[in-house]
Amino acid sequence: MSGSSIWKGATAEVVVDSLYKSYGDEFNSKLVIENCSLTAQKGRFTVLIGPSGCGKTTLVNLIAGYERPTRGRISVDGVEVRAPSSDRLAVFQESALFPWMSVFDNVMYGPSVQRKLSAVQAKEESTALLARVGLLEFRDKYPNQLSGGMQRRAELARALINKPDVLLMDEPFRGLDAMTRQLMQEYLTHLFETSAQTILFVTSEIDEAILLADTLIVLSRAPASTKAVFAVDFSRPRGIEIFKSARYSDLKAEILDTLFEEAAGAFSSASRAYAETVEGYALQRSRTSS
Amino acid sequence: MTAVPSTRLHRPPRPAFAVGMMRWLRAGSNLEWALAIISIVGLILLWEYARPLGVPGLENVPPPSEVIRASAKLLSSDIYWQAWGLSLRRVAIGFLAAQILGVPLGLALAMNRTALDTIFPVVEILRPIPPVAWIPVAIIFWPTRELSVVFIVFLGAFWIVLLNTIGGAGSIDVNYRRAAQSLGSMPRDMFWRIILPATIPSIVIGMAVGMGLAWEMLVAAEMVAGNTGLGYLLWQSFEINAIPQCIVCMVSIGIAGFLSSEIIRQLGRYAAPWQRQQ
C-alpha cells in the first residue's frame, strides 16, 4: 500500500510563451510581467525564484487560470489555459483550506463536486492520502485546530487527490518556523521522488530552491521575465546533505551572481523590495564565499 | 518534615477557609459567577438603601422590597403570563420572517451585481427610518393591530440581518472562491458548500443584533399600537400608577431578551462549529 503511487504519474508540461500582464487602464497601467517565457518540463520539479513583489504570484495566478494574460499564451500539454481547472491545482502561502469543513471533508471536496469517483473510492483515497501526509488522526479536526505545517500538508492532500497534471505551489512554506519548513521541504522532496509529478514551485529562499529543484528559473525584478535557467543536477533521492557539497556552493554562488547583475538596475528602479532582497542575498553571498 | 525555604518562613499561614475559598474562586468560571452575583446583589442593596440617603428622584422609585411584593402578585395572575406568551409569539414571528426574507435576499444581492445595484438604493433610503416611525403607517396598512406590531418587530430585525448577510457573502476570501473553482465546483456547490457556510458567522452576528432590536421594537410597538403583551402591560401599569408592577415588567422584558439572545448564541455555536474554541 505504502509503495503504490497515489499520484497519477501521467503529468503535463507547462509552457509560458511571451507573456505580458498589466493592470489598470490604457492611461495608467502597471506592467507586472513583461515578455516572460518559461517551461516546466513533464515530471520535473521546476522552481521559480525571485524577490517578493516581482510578479511571481501574478504568474501563478495566470497559470492557475484565475486571471487572464494581457498578451502571450500559457499552455498545458499544448492546450491553452483559459479558466481554473482541477488539472492545475495551487497551494498558496495563506491556507485556503475551507475553515467550515473538517480536514477529511476538505480533502473529499474535489472528488465530491467532480463526481468522477464513487463515494467509496473517494473515501478510500482520501483516507490513504491523509495517512500518507500523516494526518489520519486529525481527519475530523477543523483547519484552525491544526498547526501551520499540518495545514500545508492537508492542503497538499486536498490537491493531490484530484491527480492534477501540474501542482502549483506559491511560497507554500513561507511563514512556517525553520524546523517545520525543513521538514516540509524534505517531505515534499520525498513525495516528488516517489511520484515524478510536474511541480512548479515559487520561492524567494535560495536554499529551498536548490534543495527542491530539477530546474531553477531566476526571474528578473518587476516587471518579471526569465533572467536565467539553471539545471540542478543533484542525484535523487536527495536530502539536506547536498548543502555540504562543493557543487552546492558553486551553484549557489552562480545563482547569487545572476541576482547581483540585477542589483544595479534594482537600486535605480523603484523596486525597494527587490533591492532589499538583493542586499539579503549579498549577505548570504559573503557568508558562502568566506 | 522537609526543610522549609527561609523565604517562606515569614509568611503568616492562611486559614483553611481562605485557602479553600481562593481555590474555589480560581477554579473554572467560579470567579466569574461570584463577581456576577456580587454586582447584582450590590445593585439591589444600593437601590434599597440609597433612598434614605436622599438621592434626588429616587424617592419616586419603589424599592426592591416593594417590587418583589408586586412581582409575587403579578406572577400569580393569568394576564402576566398571557402577556409573556403573546410578546414571545410576536417576537418569534417577526424575527423569523426577518430571517426568512433577509437571509435569502441578502445572499441573492451579494451574488448578483445588477440586483444589488437595483435594490440597494431602495434599502439605503428605507433603512435609516427608525422602525418606530413606521408605527402609524403600519397601523393603517395592516388589517389588525397584531399584524402591525409583528411588522414593526420584523423591521427591527430585518435591516441588520440583510446588511450582515450582504456584507458576509460579499467579503468571502477570494482564495476560498478560487480554490473551490479550481477543485471543480458547479455553481450549486459553490453556493451550498462555499458561499453559504462562509456567510453563516456574519448571519449569526446579524441575528444576535437583530434579536435585541426585535425586543426593543416590540416594546415600543406594544406601547403605542398594542392592547396586550409585556410592553402594553408595562405602559398600562404606569397609567394606573402601579410603578412596582412597571418595574416587574421591565425586568421581565430584560429576562426575555437575555433568553432570546442566549438561544441565538447556542444556535450560532451549532451552525458554525468550526468557530468554537478548540
Side-chain angles (χ1 to χ4, degrees):
Chain A
M1 173 115 189
S2 64
S4 74
S5 175
I6 293 170
W7 290 357
K8 180 159 51 178
T11 65
E13 183 178 62
V14 183
V15 178
V16 174
D17 184 19
S18 330
L19 195 75
Y20 287 78
K21 177 68 183 176
S22 58
Y23 292 101
D25 53 37
E26 52 184 313
F27 303 109
N28 184 17
S29 76
K30 183 170 163 46
L31 195 59
V32 184
I33 294 170
E34 184 177 30
N35 197 13
C36 181
S37 298
L38 57 89
T39 303
Q41 288 170 297
K42 191 175 283 212
R44 307 264 284 173
F45 202 125
T46 304
V47 173
L48 300 178
I49 186 165
S52 35
C54 84
K56 291 172 297 186
T57 298
T58 306
L59 192 54
V60 173
N61 283 340
L62 288 165
I63 297 171
Y66 299 139
E67 296 179 41
R68 300 283 294 135
T70 310
R71 262 167 67 196
R73 191 182 137 99
I74 299 167
S75 56
V76 175
D77 272 354
V79 182
E80 189 170 357
V81 168
R82 290 179 186 282
S85 153
S86 56
D87 295 337
R88 285 165 273 117
L89 287 177
V91 176
F92 290 99
Q93 180 195 337
E94 304 86 21
S95 169
L97 291 169
F98 305 129
W100 49 89
M101 293 181 197
S102 69
V103 170
F104 186 73
D105 289 343
N106 262 289
V107 177
M108 286 281 286
Y109 185 82
S112 78
V113 296
Q114 291 166 23
R115 298 170 183 92
K116 284 182 200 152
L117 295 178
S118 72
V120 179
Q121 249 180 315
K123 252 181 205 166
E124 265 174 26
E125 291 196 17
S126 299
T127 309
L129 255 174
L130 281 171
R132 180 95 187 264
V133 299
L135 289 175
L136 201 53
E137 305 146 66
F138 298 91
R139 48 179 280 165
D140 296 323
K141 297 278 185 206
Y142 287 109
N144 65 4
Q145 295 171 302
L146 303 184
S147 69
M150 289 166 145
Q151 287 182 1
R152 244 40 73 83
R153 278 183 278 155
E155 214 156 347
L156 213 51
R158 182 175 74 170
L160 294 179
I161 194 167
N162 302 288
K163 304 183 175 63
D165 293 334
V166 184
L167 191 62
L168 304 167
M169 304 184 84
D170 184 7
E171 304 203 43
F173 305 148
R174 195 173 176 180
L176 299 179
D177 62 87
M179 190 70 197
T180 310
R181 188 169 183 148
Q182 195 188 319
L183 286 172
M184 289 299 294
Q185 289 165 353
E186 286 176 42
Y187 183 76
L188 184 62
T189 305
H190 176 71
L191 217 53
F192 171 73
E193 281 159 2
T194 52
S195 71
Q197 161 96 29
T198 307
I199 298 182
L200 193 62
F201 187 102
V202 168
T203 185
S204 50
E205 262 282 312
I206 200 158
D207 291 332
E208 180 170 273
I210 297 173
L211 175 63
L212 295 173
D214 292 319
T215 306
L216 197 158
I217 299 174
V218 179
L219 294 176
S220 71
R221 65 179 188 275
S225 62
T226 304
K227 174 78 184 159
V229 180
F230 294 91
V232 183
D233 43 12
F234 294 105
S235 63
R236 290 184 183 276
R238 69 167 79 142
I240 51 167
E241 71 280 348
I242 66 161
F243 292 148
K244 290 181 217 138
S245 69
R247 172 86 187 98
Y248 163 79
S249 302
D250 292 348
L251 191 61
K252 185 169 177 180
E254 221 180 316
I255 293 164
L256 285 168
D257 284 341
T258 312
L259 287 160
F260 271 138
E261 283 168 36
E262 287 287 287
F267 281 113
S268 61
S269 81
S271 174
R272 204 188 134 90
Y274 192 89
E276 275 169 6
T277 310
V278 170
E279 273 176 61
Y281 284 140
L283 219 66
Q284 283 193 25
R285 176 83 169 91
S286 60
R287 262 192 232 131
T288 311
S289 51
S290 64
Chain B
M1 281 287 273
T2 50
V4 180
S6 61
T7 46
R8 294 224 177 135
L9 277 176
H10 306 291
R11 229 191 200 170
R14 286 212 182 88
F17 169 74
V19 171
M21 189 73 184
M22 297 284 284
R23 213 169 275 156
W24 182 80
L25 285 175
R26 282 201 202 109
S29 59
N30 284 341
L31 182 64
E32 284 166 41
W33 276 105
L35 288 174
I37 290 165
I38 288 168
S39 75
I40 291 169
V41 171
L43 176 74
I44 292 170
L45 290 177
L46 195 71
W47 174 14
E48 179 82 43
Y49 296 107
R51 275 155 62 86
L53 302 177
V55 178
L58 205 58
E59 67 267 22
N60 298 326
V61 180
S65 48
E66 244 179 82
V67 173
I68 288 165
R69 233 172 291 134
S71 66
K73 212 161 78 189
L74 200 58
L75 261 57
S76 59
S77 76
D78 286 346
I79 294 171
Y80 175 78
W81 293 110
Q82 253 167 24
W84 257 95
L86 287 165
S87 288
L88 277 177
R89 201 181 71 183
R90 285 165 189 155
V91 165
I93 295 171
F95 181 81
L96 275 179
Q99 310 310 314
I100 290 166
L101 284 172
V103 173
L105 184 62
L107 288 168
L109 291 184
M111 290 193 302
N112 187 332
R113 190 78 226 177
T114 318
L116 185 69
D117 290 342
T118 314
I119 296 176
F120 207 66
V122 180
V123 172
E124 280 304 285
I125 289 172
L126 294 182
R127 190 178 59 87
I129 302 171
V132 181
W134 283 84
I135 292 176
V137 176
I139 292 172
I140 295 168
F141 184 82
W142 295 100
T144 64
R145 287 291 170 107
E146 187 66 24
L147 277 174
S148 22
V149 171
V150 169
F151 175 71
I152 300 301
V153 170
F154 161 82
L155 277 184
F158 178 69
W159 301 122
I160 190 77
V161 165
L162 181 68
L163 289 183
N164 263 286
T165 308
I166 295 174
S171 60
I172 298 171
D173 191 333
V174 68
N175 287 333
Y176 299 148
R177 287 173 183 273
R178 286 179 165 174
Q181 236 180 327
S182 280
L183 291 166
S185 305
M186 299 283 136
R188 98 187 115 133
D189 304 310
M190 199 69 167
F191 176 77
W192 289 107
R193 300 189 59 187
I194 306 298
I195 294 174
L196 187 62
T199 312
I200 283 177
S202 302
I203 295 176
V204 170
I205 292 170
M207 285 171 103
V209 180
M211 183 55 96
L213 289 170
W215 275 100
E216 281 183 36
M217 294 315 135
L218 172 90
V219 173
E222 282 180 346
M223 280 180 173
V224 178
N227 45 21
T228 47
L230 286 171
Y232 173 78
L233 193 61
L234 169 62
W235 194 249
Q236 207 196 22
S237 309
F238 170 69
E239 302 240 287
I240 61 168
N241 207 23
I243 306 300
Q245 198 171 302
C246 248
I247 293 174
V248 179
C249 290
M250 282 169 65
V251 173
S252 306
I253 293 163
I255 291 169
F258 170 78
L259 292 177
S260 312
S261 298
E262 196 53 37
I263 291 170
I264 301 295
R265 239 194 305 278
Q266 293 303 326
L267 199 71
R269 280 171 57 84
Y270 176 77
W274 65 93
Q275 292 212 316
R276 280 180 219 167
Q277 294 295 312
Q278 301 184 16

